[in-house]
Amino acid sequence: DVKVTQSSRYLVKRTGEKVFLECVQDMDHENMFWYRQDPGLGLRLIYFSYDVKMKEKGDIPEGYSVSREKKERFSLILESASTNQTSMYLCASRRLQGASLGANVLTFGAGSRLTVL
Amino acid sequence: GQQVMQIPQYQHVQEGEDFTTYCNSSTTLSNIQWYKQRPGGHPVFLIQLVKSGEVKKQKRLTFQFGEAKKNSSLHITATQTTDVGTYFCAGLLNTNAGKSTFGDGTTLTVKP
């Protein structure tokens, strides 16, 4: 089974702190994604990466940056955490798109619940 | 930009009743996926629909993709308490575009 591991299940940070959320996948997937999930707002895409060293902004990139130096690892960075970034953060990976069976399917990690005080 | 609307937001049913959630896109989709998130869990892939008018079944779950490839539905027959959770649809605009757009989800509660 594909495994997507997020380093921290729960974090509590203070306003202004720099926060790193780490995500590692073990199935050699090319694509990786960061979403945030808030009640009533569904899953909103922050950033995604097609492959190593590639990144594209999603729908809500403001206040975030990402890093993909290795294929298996996709990091989300909050340069200066704010209270409105308190949320559940979900990482996902996906095999490169195409017509093959199983392509396009997102596999999610367990999530990282961040509280910014 | 592409929008995917999902209704209802919440549905409370008695065990044994049926349940349906609907998903509508503002643009024609290449495919649509459905995910289930159990309380306290993360979204898990259920199914992907690709063809116009496609219907797929998984036991008590029936998934449909509209003829125009702009809407989809998930129907659960005779709900059970194990069906509780939030069901999300995710629409892909075209297979080379990269990102899927998620609906806001329908949260199902089942009263025993």
Side-chain angles (χ1 to χ4, degrees), chain A residues 9 35 37 40-43 45 50 59 90 94 97 104-106 108-110, chain B residues 9 31 33 35 37 40 42-43 45 48 88 92 95 97-100 102 104:
Chain A
R9 192 80 172 94
Y35 292 88
Q37 184 174 24
L41 295 178
L43 292 161
L45 183 63
Y50 285 117
D59 300 316
L90 289 162
R94 179 180 70 186
Q97 294 188 85
N104 304 317
V105 173
L106 290 165
F108 285 87
Chain B
Q9 189 174 1
N31 67 45
Q33 298 171 343
Y35 293 80
Q37 184 175 24
H42 56 276
F45 173 76
Q48 177 170 270
F88 292 96
L92 191 65
T95 53
K99 59 177 185 174
S100 295
F102 278 81
D104 288 346

PDB file of all heavy atoms in Angstrom, chain A residues 9 35 37 40-43 45 50 59 90 94 97 104-106 108-110, chain B residues 9 31 33 35 37 40 42-43 45 48 88 92 95 97-100 102 104:
ATOM      1  N   ARG A   9       1.396  14.997  13.973  1.00  0.00           N
ATOM      2  CA  ARG A   9      -0.062  14.865  13.987  1.00  0.00           C
ATOM      3  C   ARG A   9      -0.711  16.113  14.584  1.00  0.00           C
ATOM      4  O   ARG A   9      -1.753  16.557  14.117  1.00  0.00           O
ATOM      5  CB  ARG A   9      -0.436  13.641  14.815  1.00  0.00           C
ATOM      6  CG  ARG A   9      -1.868  13.228  14.685  1.00  0.00           C
ATOM      7  CD  ARG A   9      -2.097  12.428  13.406  1.00  0.00           C
ATOM      8  NE  ARG A   9      -3.444  11.868  13.384  1.00  0.00           N
ATOM      9  CZ  ARG A   9      -4.469  12.467  12.798  1.00  0.00           C
ATOM     10  NH1 ARG A   9      -4.304  13.630  12.214  1.00  0.00           N
ATOM     11  NH2 ARG A   9      -5.663  11.905  12.802  1.00  0.00           N
ATOM     12  N   TYR A  35      -3.047  20.435   1.070  1.00  0.00           N
ATOM     13  CA  TYR A  35      -4.381  20.999   1.238  1.00  0.00           C
ATOM     14  C   TYR A  35      -4.536  21.456   2.682  1.00  0.00           C
ATOM     15  O   TYR A  35      -3.901  20.933   3.583  1.00  0.00           O
ATOM     16  CB  TYR A  35      -5.460  19.950   0.980  1.00  0.00           C
ATOM     17  CG  TYR A  35      -5.580  19.474  -0.442  1.00  0.00           C
ATOM     18  CD1 TYR A  35      -4.816  18.397  -0.910  1.00  0.00           C
ATOM     19  CD2 TYR A  35      -6.481  20.068  -1.315  1.00  0.00           C
ATOM     20  CE1 TYR A  35      -4.944  17.945  -2.213  1.00  0.00           C
ATOM     21  CE2 TYR A  35      -6.619  19.621  -2.626  1.00  0.00           C
ATOM     22  CZ  TYR A  35      -5.833  18.552  -3.059  1.00  0.00           C
ATOM     23  OH  TYR A  35      -5.965  18.103  -4.353  1.00  0.00           O
ATOM     24  N   GLN A  37      -7.849  21.921   5.410  1.00  0.00           N
ATOM     25  CA  GLN A  37      -9.253  21.565   5.581  1.00  0.00           C
ATOM     26  C   GLN A  37      -9.822  22.303   6.762  1.00  0.00           C
ATOM     27  O   GLN A  37      -9.319  22.180   7.889  1.00  0.00           O
ATOM     28  CB  GLN A  37      -9.407  20.055   5.774  1.00  0.00           C
ATOM     29  CG  GLN A  37     -10.856  19.610   5.863  1.00  0.00           C
ATOM     30  CD  GLN A  37     -11.011  18.112   5.916  1.00  0.00           C
ATOM     31  OE1 GLN A  37     -10.102  17.389   6.322  1.00  0.00           O
ATOM     32  NE2 GLN A  37     -12.165  17.616   5.484  1.00  0.00           N
ATOM     33  N   GLY A  40     -16.738  23.323   6.874  1.00  0.00           N
ATOM     34  CA  GLY A  40     -17.611  24.036   5.946  1.00  0.00           C
ATOM     35  C   GLY A  40     -16.934  24.538   4.681  1.00  0.00           C
ATOM     36  O   GLY A  40     -17.598  25.036   3.774  1.00  0.00           O
ATOM     37  N   LEU A  41     -15.614  24.397   4.622  1.00  0.00           N
ATOM     38  CA  LEU A  41     -14.879  24.900   3.451  1.00  0.00           C
ATOM     39  C   LEU A  41     -14.243  23.785   2.628  1.00  0.00           C
ATOM     40  O   LEU A  41     -13.562  24.054   1.637  1.00  0.00           O
ATOM     41  CB  LEU A  41     -13.795  25.884   3.893  1.00  0.00           C
ATOM     42  CG  LEU A  41     -14.299  27.174   4.538  1.00  0.00           C
ATOM     43  CD1 LEU A  41     -13.123  28.034   4.986  1.00  0.00           C
ATOM     44  CD2 LEU A  41     -15.187  27.966   3.573  1.00  0.00           C
ATOM     45  N   GLY A  42     -14.418  22.572   3.025  1.00  0.00           N
ATOM     46  CA  GLY A  42     -13.883  21.463   2.249  1.00  0.00           C
ATOM     47  C   GLY A  42     -12.369  21.428   2.238  1.00  0.00           C
ATOM     48  O   GLY A  42     -11.711  21.860   3.186  1.00  0.00           O
ATOM     49  N   LEU A  43     -11.823  20.933   1.145  1.00  0.00           N
ATOM     50  CA  LEU A  43     -10.372  20.827   0.967  1.00  0.00           C
ATOM     51  C   LEU A  43      -9.922  21.898  -0.009  1.00  0.00           C
ATOM     52  O   LEU A  43     -10.382  21.938  -1.148  1.00  0.00           O
ATOM     53  CB  LEU A  43     -10.025  19.450   0.404  1.00  0.00           C
ATOM     54  CG  LEU A  43     -10.262  18.280   1.333  1.00  0.00           C
ATOM     55  CD1 LEU A  43     -10.341  16.990   0.558  1.00  0.00           C
ATOM     56  CD2 LEU A  43      -9.157  18.206   2.360  1.00  0.00           C
ATOM     57  N   LEU A  45      -6.698  23.684  -1.976  1.00  0.00           N
ATOM     58  CA  LEU A  45      -5.334  23.405  -2.397  1.00  0.00           C
ATOM     59  C   LEU A  45      -4.426  24.600  -2.140  1.00  0.00           C
ATOM     60  O   LEU A  45      -4.694  25.714  -2.596  1.00  0.00           O
ATOM     61  CB  LEU A  45      -5.318  23.040  -3.883  1.00  0.00           C
ATOM     62  CG  LEU A  45      -3.975  22.661  -4.469  1.00  0.00           C
ATOM     63  CD1 LEU A  45      -3.422  21.399  -3.818  1.00  0.00           C
ATOM     64  CD2 LEU A  45      -4.109  22.466  -5.971  1.00  0.00           C
ATOM     65  N   TYR A  50       4.571  18.896  -9.377  1.00  0.00           N
ATOM     66  CA  TYR A  50       4.498  17.830 -10.375  1.00  0.00           C
ATOM     67  C   TYR A  50       5.662  16.855 -10.237  1.00  0.00           C
ATOM     68  O   TYR A  50       5.539  15.674 -10.548  1.00  0.00           O
ATOM     69  CB  TYR A  50       4.515  18.409 -11.792  1.00  0.00           C
ATOM     70  CG  TYR A  50       3.224  19.049 -12.203  1.00  0.00           C
ATOM     71  CD1 TYR A  50       3.169  20.403 -12.490  1.00  0.00           C
ATOM     72  CD2 TYR A  50       2.070  18.302 -12.315  1.00  0.00           C
ATOM     73  CE1 TYR A  50       1.970  20.998 -12.880  1.00  0.00           C
ATOM     74  CE2 TYR A  50       0.882  18.884 -12.696  1.00  0.00           C
ATOM     75  CZ  TYR A  50       0.843  20.238 -12.984  1.00  0.00           C
ATOM     76  OH  TYR A  50      -0.334  20.819 -13.359  1.00  0.00           O
ATOM     77  N   ASP A  59      -4.968  27.218  -4.853  1.00  0.00           N
ATOM     78  CA  ASP A  59      -6.001  28.248  -4.741  1.00  0.00           C
ATOM     79  C   ASP A  59      -5.753  29.234  -3.615  1.00  0.00           C
ATOM     80  O   ASP A  59      -6.230  30.366  -3.663  1.00  0.00           O
ATOM     81  CB  ASP A  59      -7.363  27.575  -4.535  1.00  0.00           C
ATOM     82  CG  ASP A  59      -7.703  26.668  -5.707  1.00  0.00           C
ATOM     83  OD1 ASP A  59      -7.491  27.089  -6.863  1.00  0.00           O
ATOM     84  OD2 ASP A  59      -8.165  25.533  -5.465  1.00  0.00           O
ATOM     85  N   LEU A  90      -3.445  18.656   5.135  1.00  0.00           N
ATOM     86  CA  LEU A  90      -3.395  17.316   4.553  1.00  0.00           C
ATOM     87  C   LEU A  90      -2.441  17.289   3.367  1.00  0.00           C
ATOM     88  O   LEU A  90      -2.537  18.108   2.465  1.00  0.00           O
ATOM     89  CB  LEU A  90      -4.784  16.884   4.075  1.00  0.00           C
ATOM     90  CG  LEU A  90      -5.798  16.577   5.164  1.00  0.00           C
ATOM     91  CD1 LEU A  90      -7.203  16.593   4.612  1.00  0.00           C
ATOM     92  CD2 LEU A  90      -5.501  15.223   5.791  1.00  0.00           C
ATOM     93  N   ARG A  94       0.329  11.392  -5.705  1.00  0.00           N
ATOM     94  CA  ARG A  94      -0.376  10.784  -6.822  1.00  0.00           C
ATOM     95  C   ARG A  94       0.630  10.371  -7.879  1.00  0.00           C
ATOM     96  O   ARG A  94       1.591  11.107  -8.146  1.00  0.00           O
ATOM     97  CB  ARG A  94      -1.355  11.799  -7.406  1.00  0.00           C
ATOM     98  CG  ARG A  94      -2.150  11.352  -8.596  1.00  0.00           C
ATOM     99  CD  ARG A  94      -3.085  12.459  -9.061  1.00  0.00           C
ATOM    100  NE  ARG A  94      -2.380  13.570  -9.659  1.00  0.00           N
ATOM    101  CZ  ARG A  94      -2.968  14.701 -10.035  1.00  0.00           C
ATOM    102  NH1 ARG A  94      -4.262  14.857  -9.861  1.00  0.00           N
ATOM    103  NH2 ARG A  94      -2.263  15.656 -10.593  1.00  0.00           N
ATOM    104  N   GLN A  97      -0.111  11.491 -13.906  1.00  0.00           N
ATOM    105  CA  GLN A  97      -1.385  11.299 -14.571  1.00  0.00           C
ATOM    106  C   GLN A  97      -1.222  10.603 -15.907  1.00  0.00           C
ATOM    107  O   GLN A  97      -0.194  10.625 -16.533  1.00  0.00           O
ATOM    108  CB  GLN A  97      -2.051  12.652 -14.792  1.00  0.00           C
ATOM    109  CG  GLN A  97      -2.435  13.311 -13.513  1.00  0.00           C
ATOM    110  CD  GLN A  97      -3.250  14.524 -13.787  1.00  0.00           C
ATOM    111  OE1 GLN A  97      -4.460  14.435 -13.950  1.00  0.00           O
ATOM    112  NE2 GLN A  97      -2.611  15.663 -13.871  1.00  0.00           N
ATOM    113  N   ASN A 104      -4.047   9.253 -11.313  1.00  0.00           N
ATOM    114  CA  ASN A 104      -4.934  10.328 -10.873  1.00  0.00           C
ATOM    115  C   ASN A 104      -5.472  10.172  -9.456  1.00  0.00           C
ATOM    116  O   ASN A 104      -6.082  11.090  -8.937  1.00  0.00           O
ATOM    117  CB  ASN A 104      -6.147  10.508 -11.813  1.00  0.00           C
ATOM    118  CG  ASN A 104      -5.734  10.748 -13.240  1.00  0.00           C
ATOM    119  OD1 ASN A 104      -4.814  11.500 -13.488  1.00  0.00           O
ATOM    120  ND2 ASN A 104      -6.397  10.093 -14.164  1.00  0.00           N
ATOM    121  N   VAL A 105      -5.273   9.041  -8.840  1.00  0.00           N
ATOM    122  CA  VAL A 105      -5.846   8.820  -7.517  1.00  0.00           C
ATOM    123  C   VAL A 105      -4.959   9.447  -6.450  1.00  0.00           C
ATOM    124  O   VAL A 105      -3.762   9.186  -6.389  1.00  0.00           O
ATOM    125  CB  VAL A 105      -6.006   7.313  -7.242  1.00  0.00           C
ATOM    126  CG1 VAL A 105      -6.452   7.089  -5.795  1.00  0.00           C
ATOM    127  CG2 VAL A 105      -6.985   6.696  -8.217  1.00  0.00           C
ATOM    128  N   LEU A 106      -5.566  10.264  -5.601  1.00  0.00           N
ATOM    129  CA  LEU A 106      -4.842  10.901  -4.509  1.00  0.00           C
ATOM    130  C   LEU A 106      -4.814   9.982  -3.288  1.00  0.00           C
ATOM    131  O   LEU A 106      -5.849   9.451  -2.886  1.00  0.00           O
ATOM    132  CB  LEU A 106      -5.518  12.213  -4.124  1.00  0.00           C
ATOM    133  CG  LEU A 106      -5.411  13.367  -5.131  1.00  0.00           C
ATOM    134  CD1 LEU A 106      -6.417  14.454  -4.781  1.00  0.00           C
ATOM    135  CD2 LEU A 106      -4.003  13.941  -5.123  1.00  0.00           C
ATOM    136  N   PHE A 108      -3.867  10.246   0.641  1.00  0.00           N
ATOM    137  CA  PHE A 108      -3.668  11.273   1.663  1.00  0.00           C
ATOM    138  C   PHE A 108      -2.897  10.739   2.862  1.00  0.00           C
ATOM    139  O   PHE A 108      -3.004   9.555   3.215  1.00  0.00           O
ATOM    140  CB  PHE A 108      -5.018  11.809   2.153  1.00  0.00           C
ATOM    141  CG  PHE A 108      -5.702  12.726   1.190  1.00  0.00           C
ATOM    142  CD1 PHE A 108      -6.521  12.217   0.197  1.00  0.00           C
ATOM    143  CD2 PHE A 108      -5.528  14.103   1.273  1.00  0.00           C
ATOM    144  CE1 PHE A 108      -7.161  13.056  -0.708  1.00  0.00           C
ATOM    145  CE2 PHE A 108      -6.160  14.951   0.378  1.00  0.00           C
ATOM    146  CZ  PHE A 108      -6.969  14.433  -0.618  1.00  0.00           C
ATOM    147  N   GLY A 109      -2.176  11.651   3.512  1.00  0.00           N
ATOM    148  CA  GLY A 109      -1.617  11.361   4.820  1.00  0.00           C
ATOM    149  C   GLY A 109      -2.679  11.540   5.888  1.00  0.00           C
ATOM    150  O   GLY A 109      -3.805  11.954   5.611  1.00  0.00           O
ATOM    151  N   ALA A 110      -2.297  11.253   7.137  1.00  0.00           N
ATOM    152  CA  ALA A 110      -3.245  11.297   8.250  1.00  0.00           C
ATOM    153  C   ALA A 110      -3.588  12.719   8.667  1.00  0.00           C
ATOM    154  O   ALA A 110      -4.562  12.928   9.401  1.00  0.00           O
ATOM    155  CB  ALA A 110      -2.693  10.526   9.438  1.00  0.00           C
TER     156      ALA A 110
ATOM    157  N   GLN B   9     -24.942  19.890   2.404  1.00  0.00           N
ATOM    158  CA  GLN B   9     -23.761  19.982   3.242  1.00  0.00           C
ATOM    159  C   GLN B   9     -23.813  18.936   4.351  1.00  0.00           C
ATOM    160  O   GLN B   9     -22.801  18.371   4.735  1.00  0.00           O
ATOM    161  CB  GLN B   9     -23.641  21.379   3.851  1.00  0.00           C
ATOM    162  CG  GLN B   9     -22.317  21.609   4.569  1.00  0.00           C
ATOM    163  CD  GLN B   9     -22.149  23.045   5.045  1.00  0.00           C
ATOM    164  OE1 GLN B   9     -23.031  23.882   4.869  1.00  0.00           O
ATOM    165  NE2 GLN B   9     -21.009  23.341   5.651  1.00  0.00           N
ATOM    166  N   ASN B  31     -12.623  13.817 -15.539  1.00  0.00           N
ATOM    167  CA  ASN B  31     -13.097  12.717 -14.710  1.00  0.00           C
ATOM    168  C   ASN B  31     -13.540  13.265 -13.365  1.00  0.00           C
ATOM    169  O   ASN B  31     -13.326  14.450 -13.060  1.00  0.00           O
ATOM    170  CB  ASN B  31     -12.026  11.624 -14.534  1.00  0.00           C
ATOM    171  CG  ASN B  31     -10.834  12.086 -13.724  1.00  0.00           C
ATOM    172  OD1 ASN B  31     -10.972  12.727 -12.688  1.00  0.00           O
ATOM    173  ND2 ASN B  31      -9.651  11.730 -14.179  1.00  0.00           N
ATOM    174  N   GLN B  33     -13.804  12.030  -9.140  1.00  0.00           N
ATOM    175  CA  GLN B  33     -13.478  11.036  -8.132  1.00  0.00           C
ATOM    176  C   GLN B  33     -14.333  11.286  -6.898  1.00  0.00           C
ATOM    177  O   GLN B  33     -14.780  12.404  -6.644  1.00  0.00           O
ATOM    178  CB  GLN B  33     -11.998  11.129  -7.747  1.00  0.00           C
ATOM    179  CG  GLN B  33     -11.050  10.847  -8.901  1.00  0.00           C
ATOM    180  CD  GLN B  33      -9.618  11.155  -8.552  1.00  0.00           C
ATOM    181  OE1 GLN B  33      -9.320  11.855  -7.591  1.00  0.00           O
ATOM    182  NE2 GLN B  33      -8.685  10.619  -9.338  1.00  0.00           N
ATOM    183  N   TYR B  35     -14.311  10.511  -2.645  1.00  0.00           N
ATOM    184  CA  TYR B  35     -13.522  10.142  -1.482  1.00  0.00           C
ATOM    185  C   TYR B  35     -14.424  10.119  -0.259  1.00  0.00           C
ATOM    186  O   TYR B  35     -15.406  10.862  -0.179  1.00  0.00           O
ATOM    187  CB  TYR B  35     -12.399  11.160  -1.245  1.00  0.00           C
ATOM    188  CG  TYR B  35     -11.332  11.171  -2.303  1.00  0.00           C
ATOM    189  CD1 TYR B  35     -11.528  11.844  -3.508  1.00  0.00           C
ATOM    190  CD2 TYR B  35     -10.118  10.517  -2.114  1.00  0.00           C
ATOM    191  CE1 TYR B  35     -10.554  11.850  -4.493  1.00  0.00           C
ATOM    192  CE2 TYR B  35      -9.135  10.522  -3.091  1.00  0.00           C
ATOM    193  CZ  TYR B  35      -9.360  11.184  -4.269  1.00  0.00           C
ATOM    194  OH  TYR B  35      -8.384  11.191  -5.254  1.00  0.00           O
ATOM    195  N   GLN B  37     -14.226  10.405   4.025  1.00  0.00           N
ATOM    196  CA  GLN B  37     -13.423  10.730   5.196  1.00  0.00           C
ATOM    197  C   GLN B  37     -14.213  10.356   6.445  1.00  0.00           C
ATOM    198  O   GLN B  37     -15.241  10.962   6.736  1.00  0.00           O
ATOM    199  CB  GLN B  37     -13.067  12.221   5.201  1.00  0.00           C
ATOM    200  CG  GLN B  37     -12.142  12.638   6.330  1.00  0.00           C
ATOM    201  CD  GLN B  37     -11.742  14.097   6.212  1.00  0.00           C
ATOM    202  OE1 GLN B  37     -12.432  14.903   5.610  1.00  0.00           O
ATOM    203  NE2 GLN B  37     -10.605  14.468   6.797  1.00  0.00           N
ATOM    204  N   GLY B  40     -12.460  12.013  12.202  1.00  0.00           N
ATOM    205  CA  GLY B  40     -11.106  11.919  12.733  1.00  0.00           C
ATOM    206  C   GLY B  40     -10.092  11.334  11.767  1.00  0.00           C
ATOM    207  O   GLY B  40      -8.918  11.200  12.115  1.00  0.00           O
ATOM    208  N   HIS B  42      -8.710  10.682   7.421  1.00  0.00           N
ATOM    209  CA  HIS B  42      -8.326  11.440   6.242  1.00  0.00           C
ATOM    210  C   HIS B  42      -9.100  10.906   5.038  1.00  0.00           C
ATOM    211  O   HIS B  42      -9.615   9.779   5.075  1.00  0.00           O
ATOM    212  CB  HIS B  42      -6.813  11.323   6.003  1.00  0.00           C
ATOM    213  CG  HIS B  42      -6.345   9.911   5.877  1.00  0.00           C
ATOM    214  ND1 HIS B  42      -6.048   9.125   6.963  1.00  0.00           N
ATOM    215  CD2 HIS B  42      -6.124   9.141   4.785  1.00  0.00           C
ATOM    216  CE1 HIS B  42      -5.655   7.935   6.558  1.00  0.00           C
ATOM    217  NE2 HIS B  42      -5.699   7.907   5.235  1.00  0.00           N
ATOM    218  N   PRO B  43      -9.207  11.692   3.972  1.00  0.00           N
ATOM    219  CA  PRO B  43      -9.965  11.229   2.791  1.00  0.00           C
ATOM    220  C   PRO B  43      -9.344   9.981   2.194  1.00  0.00           C
ATOM    221  O   PRO B  43      -8.128   9.888   2.034  1.00  0.00           O
ATOM    222  CB  PRO B  43      -9.885  12.413   1.841  1.00  0.00           C
ATOM    223  CG  PRO B  43      -9.619  13.596   2.705  1.00  0.00           C
ATOM    224  CD  PRO B  43      -8.755  13.079   3.817  1.00  0.00           C
ATOM    225  N   PHE B  45      -9.813   7.304  -1.126  1.00  0.00           N
ATOM    226  CA  PHE B  45     -10.376   7.175  -2.464  1.00  0.00           C
ATOM    227  C   PHE B  45     -11.414   6.062  -2.514  1.00  0.00           C
ATOM    228  O   PHE B  45     -11.208   4.956  -1.990  1.00  0.00           O
ATOM    229  CB  PHE B  45      -9.246   6.877  -3.447  1.00  0.00           C
ATOM    230  CG  PHE B  45      -9.690   6.557  -4.846  1.00  0.00           C
ATOM    231  CD1 PHE B  45     -10.119   7.568  -5.689  1.00  0.00           C
ATOM    232  CD2 PHE B  45      -9.669   5.248  -5.307  1.00  0.00           C
ATOM    233  CE1 PHE B  45     -10.509   7.279  -6.983  1.00  0.00           C
ATOM    234  CE2 PHE B  45     -10.066   4.950  -6.595  1.00  0.00           C
ATOM    235  CZ  PHE B  45     -10.485   5.958  -7.440  1.00  0.00           C
ATOM    236  N   GLN B  48     -13.398   6.319  -9.299  1.00  0.00           N
ATOM    237  CA  GLN B  48     -13.185   7.327 -10.323  1.00  0.00           C
ATOM    238  C   GLN B  48     -14.107   7.030 -11.503  1.00  0.00           C
ATOM    239  O   GLN B  48     -14.214   5.882 -11.932  1.00  0.00           O
ATOM    240  CB  GLN B  48     -11.722   7.314 -10.784  1.00  0.00           C
ATOM    241  CG  GLN B  48     -11.410   8.276 -11.911  1.00  0.00           C
ATOM    242  CD  GLN B  48      -9.925   8.404 -12.161  1.00  0.00           C
ATOM    243  OE1 GLN B  48      -9.261   9.254 -11.576  1.00  0.00           O
ATOM    244  NE2 GLN B  48      -9.384   7.555 -13.019  1.00  0.00           N
ATOM    245  N   PHE B  88     -16.651  13.401  -0.316  1.00  0.00           N
ATOM    246  CA  PHE B  88     -16.195  14.477  -1.186  1.00  0.00           C
ATOM    247  C   PHE B  88     -16.163  14.001  -2.637  1.00  0.00           C
ATOM    248  O   PHE B  88     -15.725  12.888  -2.921  1.00  0.00           O
ATOM    249  CB  PHE B  88     -14.758  14.893  -0.844  1.00  0.00           C
ATOM    250  CG  PHE B  88     -14.583  15.565   0.483  1.00  0.00           C
ATOM    251  CD1 PHE B  88     -14.185  14.838   1.598  1.00  0.00           C
ATOM    252  CD2 PHE B  88     -14.814  16.924   0.620  1.00  0.00           C
ATOM    253  CE1 PHE B  88     -14.009  15.453   2.822  1.00  0.00           C
ATOM    254  CE2 PHE B  88     -14.642  17.549   1.841  1.00  0.00           C
ATOM    255  CZ  PHE B  88     -14.242  16.812   2.947  1.00  0.00           C
ATOM    256  N   LEU B  92     -11.674  16.755 -12.038  1.00  0.00           N
ATOM    257  CA  LEU B  92     -10.447  17.060 -12.760  1.00  0.00           C
ATOM    258  C   LEU B  92     -10.819  17.660 -14.098  1.00  0.00           C
ATOM    259  O   LEU B  92     -11.597  17.061 -14.852  1.00  0.00           O
ATOM    260  CB  LEU B  92      -9.624  15.788 -12.943  1.00  0.00           C
ATOM    261  CG  LEU B  92      -8.196  15.964 -13.454  1.00  0.00           C
ATOM    262  CD1 LEU B  92      -7.351  16.719 -12.449  1.00  0.00           C
ATOM    263  CD2 LEU B  92      -7.570  14.606 -13.740  1.00  0.00           C
ATOM    264  N   THR B  95      -6.857  15.799 -17.944  1.00  0.00           N
ATOM    265  CA  THR B  95      -5.863  14.923 -17.330  1.00  0.00           C
ATOM    266  C   THR B  95      -4.477  15.535 -17.318  1.00  0.00           C
ATOM    267  O   THR B  95      -3.595  15.033 -16.648  1.00  0.00           O
ATOM    268  CB  THR B  95      -5.800  13.560 -18.040  1.00  0.00           C
ATOM    269  OG1 THR B  95      -5.609  13.776 -19.430  1.00  0.00           O
ATOM    270  CG2 THR B  95      -7.094  12.797 -17.818  1.00  0.00           C
ATOM    271  N   ALA B  97      -4.054  18.850 -16.583  1.00  0.00           N
ATOM    272  CA  ALA B  97      -4.106  20.109 -15.835  1.00  0.00           C
ATOM    273  C   ALA B  97      -3.491  19.970 -14.454  1.00  0.00           C
ATOM    274  O   ALA B  97      -3.069  20.957 -13.876  1.00  0.00           O
ATOM    275  CB  ALA B  97      -5.529  20.604 -15.714  1.00  0.00           C
ATOM    276  N   GLY B  98      -3.489  18.795 -13.904  1.00  0.00           N
ATOM    277  CA  GLY B  98      -2.800  18.606 -12.636  1.00  0.00           C
ATOM    278  C   GLY B  98      -3.702  18.538 -11.439  1.00  0.00           C
ATOM    279  O   GLY B  98      -3.793  17.533 -10.782  1.00  0.00           O
ATOM    280  N   LYS B  99      -4.378  19.624 -11.125  1.00  0.00           N
ATOM    281  CA  LYS B  99      -5.062  19.654  -9.839  1.00  0.00           C
ATOM    282  C   LYS B  99      -6.543  19.335  -9.973  1.00  0.00           C
ATOM    283  O   LYS B  99      -7.197  19.703 -10.934  1.00  0.00           O
ATOM    284  CB  LYS B  99      -4.886  21.018  -9.182  1.00  0.00           C
ATOM    285  CG  LYS B  99      -5.410  22.185  -9.990  1.00  0.00           C
ATOM    286  CD  LYS B  99      -5.252  23.484  -9.222  1.00  0.00           C
ATOM    287  CE  LYS B  99      -5.900  24.623  -9.995  1.00  0.00           C
ATOM    288  NZ  LYS B  99      -5.908  25.880  -9.234  1.00  0.00           N
ATOM    289  N   SER B 100      -7.026  18.645  -8.951  1.00  0.00           N
ATOM    290  CA  SER B 100      -8.451  18.366  -8.837  1.00  0.00           C
ATOM    291  C   SER B 100      -9.083  19.423  -7.958  1.00  0.00           C
ATOM    292  O   SER B 100      -8.463  19.911  -7.022  1.00  0.00           O
ATOM    293  CB  SER B 100      -8.678  16.998  -8.215  1.00  0.00           C
ATOM    294  OG  SER B 100      -8.204  15.965  -9.043  1.00  0.00           O
ATOM    295  N   PHE B 102     -11.999  20.055  -5.290  1.00  0.00           N
ATOM    296  CA  PHE B 102     -12.893  19.322  -4.400  1.00  0.00           C
ATOM    297  C   PHE B 102     -14.172  20.098  -4.137  1.00  0.00           C
ATOM    298  O   PHE B 102     -14.164  21.334  -4.023  1.00  0.00           O
ATOM    299  CB  PHE B 102     -12.200  19.067  -3.059  1.00  0.00           C
ATOM    300  CG  PHE B 102     -11.273  17.886  -3.076  1.00  0.00           C
ATOM    301  CD1 PHE B 102     -10.000  17.995  -3.589  1.00  0.00           C
ATOM    302  CD2 PHE B 102     -11.684  16.659  -2.572  1.00  0.00           C
ATOM    303  CE1 PHE B 102      -9.140  16.911  -3.618  1.00  0.00           C
ATOM    304  CE2 PHE B 102     -10.833  15.565  -2.584  1.00  0.00           C
ATOM    305  CZ  PHE B 102      -9.563  15.698  -3.116  1.00  0.00           C
ATOM    306  N   ASP B 104     -17.240  20.812  -1.341  1.00  0.00           N
ATOM    307  CA  ASP B 104     -17.126  21.071   0.092  1.00  0.00           C
ATOM    308  C   ASP B 104     -17.473  19.859   0.950  1.00  0.00           C
ATOM    309  O   ASP B 104     -17.281  19.886   2.159  1.00  0.00           O
ATOM    310  CB  ASP B 104     -18.018  22.247   0.494  1.00  0.00           C
ATOM    311  CG  ASP B 104     -17.451  23.568  -0.003  1.00  0.00           C
ATOM    312  OD1 ASP B 104     -16.267  23.604  -0.405  1.00  0.00           O
ATOM    313  OD2 ASP B 104     -18.189  24.567   0.005  1.00  0.00           O
TER     314      ASP B 104
END
